[in-house]
């Protein structure tokens, strides 16, 4: 029985092995080492070189540095975590170089591509004082930077006299980003001063300053003109990778300052190319094979010219066209593998078997086969195998029959790892199982415990976008006789569903629990853990949630260089939040802007791989702050912190005053006015205006300086020019840097002068005891046209009216009346006097004894007649005023008799007043009577 059991077990193993052999394979790389640049001043003292491969059995790893295997036991600085190599206290001296990972299992070995480890650092300049440089005015000069040790690339700039005053590059000055040297093609007196080279590490952003280099002028004369001499040029042979940006430099010394031009021999310069720094730099982005060729830069001035040529060759990395694949073959068959790659120059090949070279060719691109499986024919003898410490021999002809029988009837199998497998388990399989191991010396038994609980959290890794929702599902496989409890964790801390219920929801069934995360925010990214617990076991597993969102704020913006209209800015990248940054938006704020405004940049647009740009078209002599906003496919993130406030350099004004006009003023005056130029456009200190004018028909301009920036008017007086003389006028601007533009020319007339003639045909007559009407005819039109007239006690007309009423006069009085014209300059001559007498005053006695009788809606009213005195105007009638209380309507009745009949329109309370009328005006008012609409006879009552 024992032999039968062991034979059956062996055949079961053979069946299992043949069924599952396809699941075993050699190593296949999932992640290979990348190039790493490690900052030496980093707070993190560990370097990680990544390597990961899949394989069955799982592969083991080893590492090679510059071809030498890493011995982690001999050097404590090296350690392995899975396939990754960890280097503690990394040193450039010992750790710089190429790293290669080897993964191997029983089916084979593969070697990864090389990953280069570099170290980023920036040393200090030598503290030794630098000698001064003395040249003649007009001569060219080169100031050497001589940078300190560094890695990788650095950016050069020069400080003039003191930080942060940077040298502005133009057609006369150039800073090479290859050598760091400062080139001045023609020295001017303004160049005299102290120069300091500033270098910045592109990885660490560290900056260091060189000792100053003084530049002075010789006193033995001025350098005459000389032909250009190219001092900066690109290599005669440039090799560049496809897709990169190529930067070719060319700059020359000369007097006059040379002009740089570029051309491509036997072709055209690509349209995508850009000329920078006054054409001293030719930049070709995203270079392609067709951009290869010979490029020439030429420097010319009136004294002559010189040229330099260099060849640009574009290469492409190897790319596979045909690759080898895993292959299964019978023993003895012929195997032929072909791999083919393209590239420029043409790639070379080498073959490796289990990581060892088959040839001595130089490697260029590595692609490995992972497994060559040889299938043994069934008519061959099986190699003896050892199982349960017993040796058995079995022939292959038994295998097909036995496998078929066991496939149909065998539910219980012993697998190769001594695991007991039960297929389609049922209650009949319940019971205690004992594992027994034995050899010739004895045996040992082991009781089998129930299968441990397993927990599956899906998905194990998920990426979502801000605002989306996701469901994580946690499923436990366990003994169904036990109850299971779940708990969710976020970054190792239990989730508080009451506090965070707005985003998290918990849904549970018997053996599964779901975590729904709604309206996801960036802060929800992290590790989510599910803990399942029974009375017998506790299992914890985690899933990773990556949240894509708008970028985080970039690092603080640094103003590296400032000119009159540009600012060179740099910043550090913020978090991209798992979506690559596509563009940066540069914004500026000044005292004259409404908050933050987007500014134009060079380049435009600023792409997400950049960390610097030049803000252009700024206003000179304005204080700016700058910030940067990043954008990706998800949206636009928060802005960076603002830069320090910096003021652009002064420049000649470029904006002329607007709305130049004028006129009026006093006799012999030319009045000129304009809208002042805003401080935003004054461009520097010492701002003022230049007022230029000339009489029509004359040639020379008269110019007058107005030194106040707030002035809006200038008056020029000259007794010689007549009124209303036309002048051509323009107003310009200036500051300490020089004169700016003038406005367009406008025509403005000088003041016209006061009126020269008096009005004519003046007439006056009385219209009451206190009023006299005066009429006249205006004088002939001439310079000094009237703007109005004056008469009496300085009473004036409005506009050019030809009559007025003099008021406030005394009754029964004779008046002498004159009229004169006036304008803004003054008064003209008065007319000859005319006389008019006011009428007598109205009667001072009011009507008395008012009596009224009401019949229906009619009221009969009578009063005692009024008799005028000798010095009063005769009575010519009466005026009766009927007012209804609470209403604005008044009824006026005139009569020559001391009585009248009034009609009351409706019921209510009325007030009645009576006045005498005369040529001198209205007399005194009577006592008021108050009338309620009812019949009767009443005597007027004073109140």
């Amino acid at each position: 029985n024992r032999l039968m059991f062991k034979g059956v077990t062996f055949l079961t193993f053979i069946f299992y092995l043949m069924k599952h052999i396809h699941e075993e394979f050699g190593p296949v790389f999932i992640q290979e080492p990348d190039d790493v640049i490690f900052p030496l001043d980093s707070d993190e003292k560990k370097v990680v070189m990544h390597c990961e491969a899949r394989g069955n059995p799982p592969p083991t790893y080893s590492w090679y540095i510059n071809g030498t295997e890493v011995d982690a036991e001999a050097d404590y600085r090296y350690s392995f975590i899975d396939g990754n190599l960890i280097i503690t206290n990394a040193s450039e001296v010992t750790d710089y170089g190429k790293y290669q990972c080897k993964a191997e299992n029983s089916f084979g070995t593969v070697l990864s591509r090389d990953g280069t480890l570099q170290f980023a650092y920036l040393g200090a300049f030598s503290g030794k004082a630098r000698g001064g440089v003395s040249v003649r005015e007009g001569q060219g000069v080169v100031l050497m930077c001589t940078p300190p040790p560094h890695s990788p690339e650095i950016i050069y700039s020069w400080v003039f006299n003191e930080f942060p005053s940077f040298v502005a590059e133009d057609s006369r000055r150039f800073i090479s980003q290859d050598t760091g040297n400062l080139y001045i093609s023609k020295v001017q007196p303004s160049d005299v001063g102290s120069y300091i080279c500033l270098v910045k590490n592109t990885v660490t952003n560290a900056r260091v300053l060189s000792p100053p280099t003084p530049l002075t002028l010789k006193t033995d004369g001025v350098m005459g003109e000389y032909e250009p001499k190219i001092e900066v040029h690109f290599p005669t042979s440039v090799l560049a990778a496809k897709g990169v940006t190529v930067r070719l430099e060319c700059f020359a010394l000369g007097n006059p300052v040379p002009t740089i031009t570029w051309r491509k021999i036997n072709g055209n310069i690509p349209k995508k190319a850009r000329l920078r720094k006054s054409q001293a730099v030719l930049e070709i982005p995203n270079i392609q094979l067709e951009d290869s060729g010979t490029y020439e830069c030429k420097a010319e001035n009136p004294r002559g010219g010189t040229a330099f040529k260099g060849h640009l060759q574009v290469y492409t990395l190897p790319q596979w066209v045909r690759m080898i694949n895993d292959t299964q073959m019978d023993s003895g068959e012929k195997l032929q593998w072909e791999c083919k790659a393209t590239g420029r120059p043409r790639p070379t090949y080498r073959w490796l078997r289990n990581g060892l070279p088959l040839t001595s060719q130089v490697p260029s691109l590595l692609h490995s086969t992972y497994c060559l499986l040889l299938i043994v024919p069934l008519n061959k003898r099986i190699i003896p195998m050892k199982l349960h410490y017993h040796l058995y021999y079995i022939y292959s002809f038994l295998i097909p029959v036995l496998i078929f029988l066991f496939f149909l009837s065998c539910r219980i199998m012993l697998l190769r790892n001594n695991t007991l497998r039960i297929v389609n388990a049922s209650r009949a399989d319940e019971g205690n199982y004992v594992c027994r191991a034995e050899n010739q010396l004895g045996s040992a038994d082991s009781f089998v415990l129930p299968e441990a609980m397993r927990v599956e959290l899906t998905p194990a890794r998920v990426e979502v976008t801000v605002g989306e929702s996701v469901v994580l599902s946690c499923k436990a496989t366990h003994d169904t006789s036990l109850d299971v409890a779940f708990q969710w964790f976020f970054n190792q801390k239990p989730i508080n569903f009451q506090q965070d219920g707005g985003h998290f929801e918990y849904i549970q069934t018997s053996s599964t629990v779901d975590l729904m995360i709604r309206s996801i925010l960036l802060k929800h990214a992290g590790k989510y853990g599910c803990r399942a617990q029974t009375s017998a076991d506790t299992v914890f597993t985690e899933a990773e949630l990556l949240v894509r969102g708008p970028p985080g704020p970039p690092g603080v913006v640094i103003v590296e260089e400032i000119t009159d209209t540009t600012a060179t800015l740099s910043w550090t990248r913020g978090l991209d939040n798992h979506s690559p940054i596509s563009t940066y938006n540069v914004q500026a704020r000044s005292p004259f802007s409404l908050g933050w405004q987007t500014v134009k940049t060079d380049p435009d647009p600023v792409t997400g791989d950049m960390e610097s740009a030049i803000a252009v078209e700024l206003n000179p002599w304005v204080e700016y702050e700058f910030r940067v906003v990043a954008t990706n496919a998800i949206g636009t993130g928060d802005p960076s912190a603002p830069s320090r406030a910096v003021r652009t350099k002064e420049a000649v004004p470029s904006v002329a005053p607007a709305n130049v006009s004028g006129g009026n003023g006093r006799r012999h005056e030319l009045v000129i006015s304009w809208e002042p130029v805003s401080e935003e456009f004054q461009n520097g200190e010492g701002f003022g205006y230049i007022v230029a004018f000339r009489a029509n028909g004359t040639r020379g301009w008269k110019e007058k300086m107005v030194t106040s920036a707030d002035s809006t008017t200038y008056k020029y007086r000259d007794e010689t020019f007549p009124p209303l003389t036309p002048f051509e006028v323009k107003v310009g601007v200036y500051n300490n840097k020089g004169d700016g533009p003038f406005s367009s020319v406008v025509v403005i007339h000088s003041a016209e002068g006061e009126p020269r003639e008096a009005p004519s045909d003046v007439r006056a007559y009385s219209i009451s005891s206190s009023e006299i009407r005066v009429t006249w005819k205006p004088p002939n039109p001439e310079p000094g046209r009237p703007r109005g007239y004056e008469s009496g006690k300085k009473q004036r007309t409005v506009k050019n009216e030809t009559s007025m009423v003099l008021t406030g006069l005394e009754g029964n009085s004779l008046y002498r009346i004159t009229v004169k014209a006036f304008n803004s300059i003054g008064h003209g001559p008065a007319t000859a006097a005319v006389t008019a007498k006011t009428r007598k005053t109205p009667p001072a006695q009011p009507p008395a004894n008012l009596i009224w009788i009401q019949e229906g809606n009619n009221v009969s009213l009578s009063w005692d007649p009024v008799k005028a005195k000798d010095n009063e105007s005769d009575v010519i009638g009466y005026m009766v005023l009927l007012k209804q209380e609470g209403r604005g309507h008044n009824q006026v009745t005139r009569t020559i008799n001391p009585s009248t009949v009034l009609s009351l329109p409706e019921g209510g309370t009325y007030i009645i007043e009576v006045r005498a009328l005369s040529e001198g005006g209205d007399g005194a008012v009577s006592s008021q009577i108050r009338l309620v609409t009812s019949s009767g006879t009443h005597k007027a009552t004073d109140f």
Side-chain angles (χ1 to χ4, degrees):
N1 291 340
R2 177 176 293 182
L3 289 176
M4 177 59 71
F5 174 77
K6 291 181 177 179
V8 169
T9 303
F10 175 74
L11 291 177
T12 303
F13 164 72
I14 295 297
F15 167 73
Y16 181 84
L17 177 64
M18 295 188 65
K19 179 181 179 183
H20 294 279
I21 195 168
H22 67 279
E23 296 178 358
E24 299 180 320
F25 56 90
V28 179
F29 278 118
I30 299 173
Q31 183 178 19
E32 299 182 67
D34 290 319
D35 292 340
V36 175
I37 301 177
F38 182 73
L40 283 179
D41 59 356
S42 172
D43 293 335
E44 175 60 55
K45 299 303 181 183
K46 294 182 180 179
V47 178
V48 180
M49 302 298 291
H50 293 282
C51 179
E52 183 181 359
R54 59 186 177 89
N56 188 12
T60 58
Y61 301 89
S62 54
W63 280 85
Y64 294 83
I65 302 179
N66 298 323
T68 302
E69 185 173 1
V70 174
D71 187 351
E73 295 182 358
D75 193 335
Y76 74 94
R77 298 183 312 110
Y78 300 112
S79 60
F80 300 111
I81 297 180
D82 296 329
N84 300 330
L85 172 62
I86 313 297
I87 308 174
T88 305
N89 297 325
S91 165
E92 183 191 22
V93 175
T94 58
D95 299 316
Y96 172 84
K98 293 184 177 181
Y99 287 70
Q100 199 169 23
C101 171
K102 182 170 77 173
E104 57 186 323
N105 65 8
S106 57
F107 284 88
T109 302
V110 288
L111 285 175
S112 73
R113 63 168 177 256
D114 290 337
T116 302
L117 173 59
Q118 293 178 273
F119 293 84
Y121 61 91
L122 178 60
F125 279 95
S126 169
K128 183 179 179 181
R130 298 192 173 189
V133 178
S134 184
V135 296
R136 294 186 182 92
E137 181 181 348
Q139 185 178 353
V141 71
V142 180
L143 301 182
M144 312 295 286
C145 179
T146 315
H150 61 272
S151 177
E153 296 80 9
I154 54 178
I155 297 174
Y156 299 90
S157 56
W158 282 78
V159 177
F160 181 53
N161 287 334
E162 62 180 14
F163 189 86
S165 177
F166 288 89
V167 173
E169 295 181 83
D170 50 29
S171 61
R172 196 172 59 84
R173 293 169 293 191
F174 177 72
I175 300 171
S176 171
Q177 293 303 317
D178 289 334
T179 65
N181 298 339
L182 170 62
Y183 300 82
I184 305 177
S185 63
K186 173 187 172 184
V187 174
Q188 298 176 351
S190 60
D191 296 323
V192 171
S194 177
Y195 290 82
I196 298 172
C197 182
L198 184 149
V199 296
K200 172 188 172 184
N201 191 293
T202 56
V203 173
T204 66
N205 288 325
R207 293 173 170 81
V208 291
L209 297 168
S210 73
T213 300
L215 176 64
T216 60
L217 287 182
K218 292 181 177 179
T219 59
D220 57 353
V222 177
M223 185 76 173
E225 294 185 353
Y226 61 95
E227 65 182 6
K229 178 183 178 183
I230 294 180
E231 288 286 345
V232 183
H233 54 75
F234 55 100
T236 56
S237 180
V238 179
L239 188 64
K242 177 182 175 182
V244 303
T245 296
V246 172
R247 189 176 185 273
L248 307 179
E249 293 185 345
C250 185
F251 188 76
L253 310 185
N255 184 9
V257 176
T259 300
I260 306 294
T261 57
W262 293 81
R263 73 186 182 108
K264 184 181 181 185
I265 308 299
N266 298 326
N268 296 320
I269 290 180
K271 293 182 179 180
K272 61 188 174 184
R274 305 164 183 161
L275 289 173
R276 303 193 181 282
K277 298 190 177 183
S278 300
Q279 304 194 124
V281 174
L282 175 65
E283 189 175 275
I284 309 174
N286 190 24
I287 196 163
Q288 301 296 315
L289 293 176
E290 60 267 21
D291 298 326
S292 299
T294 301
Y295 289 79
E296 178 189 75
C297 76
K298 180 179 286 188
E300 298 176 291
N301 69 5
R303 303 292 296 180
T306 182
F308 177 84
K309 297 177 182 177
H311 186 72
L312 172 62
Q313 181 179 355
V314 180
Y315 70 88
T316 60
L317 296 174
Q319 290 184 326
W320 287 115
V321 176
R322 186 177 295 113
M323 295 184 293
I324 58 178
N325 296 309
D326 292 347
T327 304
Q328 296 182 356
M329 300 188 68
D330 290 339
S331 178
E333 288 188 276
K334 180 180 179 182
L335 170 66
Q336 179 175 340
W337 268 324
E338 180 185 7
C339 61
K340 184 177 181 181
T342 61
R344 186 173 179 181
R346 179 177 296 177
T348 58
Y349 304 85
R350 70 175 180 136
W351 287 83
L352 298 154
R353 179 176 179 270
N354 289 331
L356 299 177
L358 295 177
T359 69
S360 59
Q361 295 177 357
V362 177
S364 175
L365 182 66
L366 183 64
H367 181 76
S368 298
T369 184
Y370 302 113
C371 177
L372 175 61
L373 177 62
L374 297 178
I375 304 299
V376 180
L378 291 182
N379 60 356
K380 301 289 179 70
R381 198 175 187 183
I382 297 290
I383 299 174
M385 302 188 70
K386 185 175 182 182
L387 181 66
H388 284 268
Y389 314 107
H390 295 277
L391 194 61
Y392 297 93
Y393 293 89
I394 188 166
Y395 288 92
S396 59
F397 71 89
L398 295 175
I399 292 176
V401 176
L402 291 174
I403 287 178
F404 177 76
L405 293 174
F406 277 88
F407 180 78
L408 294 178
S409 62
C410 219
R411 290 191 307 107
I412 302 177
M413 294 174 285
L414 184 64
L415 305 183
R416 66 179 295 178
N417 59 355
N418 296 326
T419 299
L420 183 66
R421 181 179 184 184
I422 303 175
V423 181
N424 297 326
S426 65
R427 290 192 175 274
D429 299 314
E430 292 181 355
N432 296 322
Y433 289 80
V434 178
C435 174
R436 171 173 293 175
E438 61 181 30
N439 61 16
Q440 65 270 24
L441 300 178
S443 64
D445 295 340
S446 174
F447 288 90
V448 179
L449 297 175
E451 182 181 1
M453 179 172 59
R454 290 182 292 108
V455 175
E456 182 181 14
L457 180 54
T458 57
R461 186 178 186 274
V462 62
E463 292 188 16
V464 296
T465 301
V466 166
E468 294 180 346
S469 299
V470 71
V471 175
L472 301 179
S473 183
C474 182
K475 181 179 180 180
T477 302
H478 62 98
D479 188 338
T480 56
S481 64
L482 302 176
D483 292 330
V484 61
F486 294 92
Q487 187 175 12
W488 283 99
F489 294 80
F490 176 45
N491 290 335
Q492 306 293 327
K493 295 182 180 180
I495 296 176
N496 187 328
F497 286 89
Q498 286 71 34
Q499 180 179 344
D500 299 324
H503 292 283
F504 296 108
E505 183 179 351
Y506 181 98
I507 305 170
Q508 182 176 359
T509 59
S510 59
S511 296
T512 304
V513 61
D514 291 342
L515 174 66
M516 175 175 281
I517 312 173
R518 292 192 180 91
S519 303
I520 289 174
L521 305 176
L522 287 173
K523 67 178 183 179
H524 293 139
K527 295 288 187 68
Y528 286 83
C530 173
R531 185 173 72 185
Q533 185 173 8
T534 67
S535 58
D537 203 359
T538 298
V539 179
F540 180 83
T541 186
E542 283 187 315
E544 183 178 14
L545 175 64
L546 298 179
V547 181
R548 296 184 298 264
V556 65
V557 176
I558 296 175
V559 182
E560 297 188 338
E561 184 177 350
I562 196 79
T563 69
D564 55 345
T565 59
T566 68
T568 302
L569 312 173
S570 66
W571 57 90
T572 54
R573 295 174 60 85
L575 298 174
D576 64 9
N577 290 325
H578 306 291
S579 178
I581 296 172
S582 55
T583 57
Y584 288 102
N585 182 265
V586 178
Q587 300 175 342
R589 177 173 64 182
S590 75
F592 311 104
S593 65
L594 297 175
W596 291 96
Q597 303 289 329
T598 299
V599 296
K600 293 184 178 180
T601 59
D602 181 16
D604 182 24
V606 181
T607 55
D609 58 345
M610 299 179 181
E611 294 184 23
S612 64
I614 301 176
V616 299
E617 297 185 18
L618 305 177
N619 290 327
W621 200 239
V622 171
E623 191 173 78
Y624 286 96
E625 294 176 279
F626 298 94
R627 72 181 188 184
V628 178
V629 180
T631 299
N632 60 15
I634 310 301
T636 298
D638 293 331
S640 68
S643 71
R644 62 182 177 90
V646 293
R647 184 182 288 272
T648 49
K649 302 294 185 183
E650 293 182 276
V652 173
S654 58
V655 176
N659 295 330
V660 177
S661 61
N664 296 325
R666 304 181 66 182
R667 179 186 287 274
H668 306 303
E669 280 186 347
L670 174 64
V671 180
I672 302 170
S673 60
W674 61 88
E675 288 185 8
V677 174
S678 166
E679 183 182 352
E680 182 179 6
F681 303 107
Q682 293 177 6
N683 290 9
E685 293 183 330
F687 181 84
Y689 301 94
I690 305 172
V691 181
F693 53 91
R694 64 184 178 188
N696 275 11
T698 61
R699 300 188 63 180
W701 291 91
K702 290 185 179 181
E703 292 188 352
K704 300 295 180 181
M705 308 291 286
V706 179
T707 58
S708 172
D710 298 325
S711 296
T712 60
T713 302
Y714 175 76
K715 293 182 180 180
Y716 175 72
R717 184 172 180 81
D718 189 336
E719 301 286 343
T720 62
F721 57 77
L724 294 178
T725 300
F727 282 83
E728 290 182 300
V729 176
K730 59 183 180 179
V731 182
V733 288
Y734 72 92
N735 63 16
N736 289 347
K737 298 292 287 187
D739 295 348
F742 277 92
S743 67
S744 57
V745 176
V746 297
V747 176
I748 300 174
H749 290 81
S750 63
E752 55 187 351
E754 65 273 11
R756 296 187 180 183
E757 295 185 7
S760 60
D761 196 17
V762 179
R763 298 183 182 184
Y765 54 91
S766 174
I767 56 176
S768 72
S769 61
S770 61
E771 298 173 317
I772 294 177
R773 178 176 291 277
V774 184
T775 64
W776 62 87
K777 291 182 179 179
N780 294 324
E782 61 167 358
R785 290 168 295 193
R787 295 292 183 265
Y789 298 90
E790 184 177 291
S791 181
K793 297 179 179 180
K794 295 187 178 181
Q795 295 189 47
R796 292 187 169 188
T797 62
V798 179
K799 300 182 180 179
N800 287 326
E801 296 174 350
T802 56
S803 68
M804 72 167 59
V805 175
L806 304 179
T807 60
L809 307 179
E810 294 183 3
N812 199 25
S813 300
L814 184 65
Y815 285 91
R816 291 170 52 85
I817 301 168
T818 61
V819 180
K820 53 187 176 183
F822 70 89
N823 59 17
S824 60
I825 308 303
H827 292 83
T831 63
V834 296
T835 60
K837 186 177 182 180
T838 56
R839 299 178 181 182
K840 293 180 181 181
T841 59
Q845 179 185 358
N849 297 322
L850 271 65
I851 298 175
W852 60 274
I853 299 174
Q854 181 179 356
E855 295 180 353
N857 289 336
N858 296 323
V859 175
S860 298
L861 180 65
S862 63
W863 57 88
D864 293 342
V866 176
K867 293 184 178 181
K869 298 179 180 179
D870 292 341
N871 62 345
E872 295 178 339
S873 297
D874 293 336
V875 175
I876 60 175
Y878 299 91
M879 181 180 66
V880 179
L881 177 65
L882 177 65
K883 298 188 293 184
Q884 185 177 5
E885 286 187 351
R887 300 287 183 90
H889 176 72
N890 295 333
Q891 179 178 323
V892 178
T893 302
R894 298 179 183 272
T895 178
I896 59 174
N897 299 314
S899 63
T900 187
V901 176
L902 302 176
S903 178
L904 303 179
E906 57 186 10
T909 302
Y910 294 87
I911 303 297
I912 300 175
E913 296 177 348
V914 181
R915 294 174 182 266
L917 300 177
S918 70
E919 291 182 349
D922 297 342
V925 65
S926 68
S927 300
Q928 292 182 345
I929 63 173
R930 189 167 181 271
L931 177 66
V932 179
T933 54
S934 60
S935 301
T937 301
H938 300 276
K939 185 176 181 180
T941 303
D942 294 337
F943 66 95

